[in-house]
Amino acid sequence: DSTAPTVTTLDPEDGETGVSLTANLVITFSENVSAVSGKNIYIKRNSDDATVETIAADASKVTVSGDTVTINP
């Protein structure tokens, strides 16, 4: 498969306000994905696109199950 997966849903949704700082971030993709050592996930602030946190894709706070990635901050 040479087509990269796309994000189909985000929870919380992009731009959602009032989200707890301890809420899980759940990303659903168009196909199954896997964590890759040496790659990162960047959490960005919506207002100015600044990087708030960088998380290794294979870190213990990241769970990958089929087409779903859950980040437990």
Side-chain angles (χ1 to χ4, degrees):
D1 181 1
S2 61
T3 304
T6 57
V7 174
T8 58
T9 61
L10 296 170
D11 184 21
E13 294 180 9
D14 188 25
E16 190 170 332
T17 60
V19 177
S20 168
L21 293 176
T22 60
N24 283 350
L25 307 174
V26 181
I27 308 162
T28 304
F29 290 89
S30 58
E31 60 185 85
N32 289 351
V33 294
S34 58
V36 177
S37 179
K39 298 292 183 177
N40 293 314
I41 299 167
Y42 300 96
I43 307 299
K44 300 213 171 224
R45 187 171 35 236
N46 200 35
S47 61
D48 61 2
D49 204 36
T51 299
V52 175
E53 186 173 359
T54 301
I55 304 166
D58 59 351
S60 62
K61 63 170 67 178
V62 179
T63 305
V64 180
S65 178
D67 65 349
T68 304
V69 175
T70 302
I71 303 167
N72 182 345

